[in-house]
Amino acid sequence: MRSRALVPWLWLLPAGCLLVPFFVLPLAVTFRNSFWRDDDSGVAVPAFTFANYARVLGDPYYLQVFGNTLWIALLIAALALAIAFPFAWLLARLTGRAQALVFWVVYLPLYVSVVMRAFGWIVILADSGVVNQALLAMGLIRQPIRILFEVEGMVIGMLHRYLPLMIVPLVTALRKLDPSLLRASANLGAGHWYTWRRVVVPAALPGIVAGTQLVFSGVLSDYVTPSLMGASGYQLVAPAIYYEAATNSAWALAGAMATLTLALVSLLLVVANALLRRFAPWAATL
Amino acid sequence: MKPQFGVAERFHAAAVLLFLVAPILVAMIVAFSSGNRLDFPPPGLSLRWFGVALGNELFIDGLLVSLVLAAASAVLATIAGTGAALAINHHRFRGRSLVQAAVMLPIAMPTIVLGLGLLFTLSIYDMQPGLLPTILGHAVLGLPYVVAMVTAALASYDTSLERASLNLGAGPARTFLRVTLPLIGNGVVAGGVSAFMISLDNISLSLFISKGDTLPLRLMQQLQSYADPSVAAIATVVVGLSAAGFLLSLAWGARRRRLVEPAPPGAAAGRPPAESKEATA
Amino acid sequence: MAATALAADAAADTLDPAAAAERPPVLEIASLRKSFGSMLALDRCDLTLRQGEIVALLGASGCGKSTLLNIIAGFETADFGTLRLRGALLNKVPPHRRNIAMVFQSYALFPHMTVAGNIAYGLEVRGLGKAEMASRVAEMVGILRLQGLEGRYPQQLSGGQRQRVAVARALAIRPDMLLLDEAFSALDKNLREETQLELSLLLRRLDVTTILVTHDQREAFALADRVAVMHAGRIAQIGTPEQVYRHPATDQVLRFLGSANTLRGTARAGEIRLAEGLGYALPPGRTVPEGPVSVLFRTEDAGVSTVPTAIHRAHPARVTLSTFFGAQERVVLDLDGQQVVVDRPVRSADPLASLPAGSAVFLDLDPERCRLEAG
């Protein structure tokens, strides 16, 4: 029956109407424009050139921007994973009301404006902020230490912003772990650490991959945190793209930077899924 | 067997929870400050910064724009996302896994890139930066969340229920309205709420394709130029509104969940054992 | 005792095959074929059900019985062949216009509707008036003993109650026929047998034409007038339970119904030799090409004795294991390296009531009850 084969596509129609013109096409246009040339009058003119890429990959400033961003993204992903894993393991084993409450707290930052979260961190981390006051009062320091508007402050802000995005997929993966597997493992003679390594971590792999992807693409596209909490001398790629486009009207150059960012995220997606397929074929989804 | 939690584990969890709530709590408390600066603890409590915030036309306009934007984009994302989730979970068709990956892609792709791309593309559609393109852009961002939540709702949903409905003589449309939709309703609502919140908090996309008049953009400008507790006050108002909406939807969901939670034997993995015992007794 | 009396009633209700042949056909299936990709799920299936008849589709999983049921319900479409309900072609009718009710394996009760809501659903769809709907629901509630449960939700019911609601919901629409898809598999053994008996009586009383799909031979035999044994997408044999059991048309039917032994032997000079030494004489009129043969027989069609009962029928063997099952005893024998399973009734005065492992015995085999195949 031919009409039956059409049914799924009918259901997909609204999503297609949204995604094709407002997701697929913009990304394609960005890619195309990255090969155009920026006119002096502030418009990108259609002329095929590698000049933008040559500039981004040749100029130490832009290389530094990408280097900074990659380093921060890796750092945040690693910190988030290290902090989130034991927490997610506890959360996955909680039941009933306690689990609901903890989940609620984990989701809380996602439901509060990122500007408000940054505001809170500014109050806590500023030179006259909560942390410095406490350290001064305890006599541990004599001068306030500068955290805010430094890389450290930005890392704290970003960790706060992206930690839930690591916790949630981890908990989702760990909750699928049948508790009887733990008993089976113990019954077969495995100790706590062995069970953790051979049963719990493999079960968490899909969550680790998903969480890392979310954190990574979040950091790469974070404009707010570096703008509000970061150091002016430590540029990240998202504010840089906006600066090139909006302030410098270097549209094609911004396009090239955006395309490179996209390539980095895609590369991570592909590599992560290849690794997952290789080491955890049972969990590969994509 | 009740799970055992070690001391270190508990301590770690408490620290994480504190880390997650600290800036939010601090910001909320400062919103009620009677002082002029961002002192913490505040010298005294007052509502003066709420007065300042609500008297700021830029904030109020921004809030209205953001609410309209969030509502409209959430509706679009919910319709498109629910449809896509049903297609992916109920049907086997050529290219299914590709479609599945495609609808989830906006989560993984950097928003800033999409923002720039949308700005490039608007001229093709003869659009100017403003409310309409921002609604469409935010709907794209919300879509994968709706798909994920509806898919989660469909996981505990027995497709033979639809067959049963067809078998009893209900057509596809009636089956969707009477059986499918009520049973995945919680997932649809949760997805819609997520899409709403995503839009309400978005900056990276609005930066490029709005007129710079959404609340988060205005708050950010204010914070960058002159940080005073009024930013925290208006943000607290938004949190209050969200919380009210959340509690309402929770009450609505709880009333329905009692009836809707399916209890097929053996499929009750995610639920506390006491509940499933009750169901079979 | 009560159960046997009821069973006797049911037997009296069973359609006499001669009378059944005169009743109008309800469902006619002709040369149905269905494949999924390269897998042939149904291959030239033919089946006719007459009014009030109960037919069981019996077979191992993957034999095509569920596919056939889904095609009848309209959830799958056949690649080839015709399907008629009371003479009208059904192939292109969508599932919701077929009026063939189904009881699902999971029962598929709508969790967001009460018992009454579930039963009324099909009536509501058919636009019945409020009063008529209420009386029909009440009728079904009465017939299936669901009084007092009307306002409950499915998850507040026991397994047996859920099953009865599923049946009530299916019968409420007064379907042209009923499909039962492994409808008893979720119940535990005692409840299952009780429910089978009850439903069998109900369906005959209401004269409901029914197809039930099952992999459980007891269930098929308990409910059905005729049993269709399916194998590899085809109906291997169809007939009354007694016919298919006593005269299996193929090896697969014999193997699927009850349990069977397969022994290797050689045919030579009108005899079958299972081992060196004695051979069984072929019954008159049966011929097998000389050479290797397989000998198939049911476990209850052989006997065990401590003395050879008939010189050409008994073969010396050794007991490997004997297990007591109440009314029956299962003896596993070693016959020159081949394993033979024999099920025999236990009589209290039987001197052989318990055969210790290692006992030397004789296997009594009646060649009349064996299927012989060359090769």
Side-chain angles (χ1 to χ4, degrees), chain B residues 4 15 24 31 33 48 55 61 87 91 106 125 133 136 159 184 192 203 221 225-226 240 252 257 265 279-280:
Chain B
Q4 303 285 312
I24 298 164
S33 170
R48 66 179 269 223
D61 280 355
H91 297 275
Y125 309 130
L136 293 165
T159 44
I184 62 169
I203 285 179
Q221 287 152 12
S225 58
Y226 185 73
W252 181 77
R257 197 166 310 121
T280 47

Side-chain angles (χ1 to χ4, degrees), chain A residues 54-276:
Chain A
R55 199 167 153 205
V56 171
L57 297 172
D59 189 323
Y61 166 75
Y62 295 110
L63 279 179
Q64 183 72 51
V65 168
F66 274 97
N68 290 347
T69 312
L70 269 179
W71 158 242
I72 293 292
L74 288 173
L75 181 69
I76 299 287
L79 284 175
L81 180 60
I83 295 171
F85 203 115
F87 183 78
W89 178 230
L90 175 129
L91 180 47
R93 287 175 300 149
L94 281 178
T95 49
R97 225 167 257 281
Q99 191 184 46
L101 188 75
V102 175
F103 249 116
W104 189 80
V105 176
V106 170
Y107 275 111
L108 186 66
L110 299 177
Y111 287 103
V112 175
S113 163
V114 62
V115 181
M116 183 176 180
R117 285 178 267 163
F119 182 94
W121 282 120
I122 289 170
V123 174
I124 294 173
L125 300 177
D127 292 352
S128 58
V130 180
V131 170
N132 274 316
Q133 280 178 44
L135 291 176
L136 284 169
M138 284 189 279
L140 289 173
I141 51 170
R142 283 159 182 245
Q143 292 286 312
I145 44 171
R146 197 171 152 85
I147 312 172
L148 193 66
F149 308 126
E150 289 294 344
V151 178
E152 291 81 1
M154 183 179 73
V155 165
I156 291 174
M158 283 191 168
L159 194 57
H160 183 253
R161 190 170 181 192
Y162 299 114
L163 189 58
L165 298 187
M166 184 65 92
I167 294 174
V168 172
L170 274 178
V171 175
T172 309
L174 286 172
R175 280 220 285 197
K176 287 190 191 136
L177 179 67
D178 181 350
S180 67
L181 295 185
L182 302 179
R183 269 173 264 166
S185 175
N187 177 261
L188 293 167
H192 269 84
W193 281 107
Y194 196 81
T195 301
W196 168 277
R197 196 161 62 77
R198 292 294 308 274
V199 181
V200 179
V201 173
L205 266 181
I208 294 174
V209 170
T212 308
Q213 284 169 1
L214 289 176
V215 171
F216 208 78
S217 84
V219 173
L220 254 58
S221 110
D222 195 340
Y223 174 83
V224 185
T225 320
S227 304
L228 290 179
M229 299 174 71
S232 51
Y234 200 82
Q235 270 284 3
L236 292 195
V237 80
I241 290 176
Y242 182 70
Y243 177 79
E244 295 299 343
T247 312
N248 272 0
S249 293
W251 301 102
L253 184 69
M257 292 172 76
T259 304
L260 283 175
T261 308
L262 201 60
L264 281 175
V265 172
S266 310
L267 188 70
L268 178 81
L269 267 173
V270 170
V271 168
N273 279 292
L275 285 177
L276 201 61

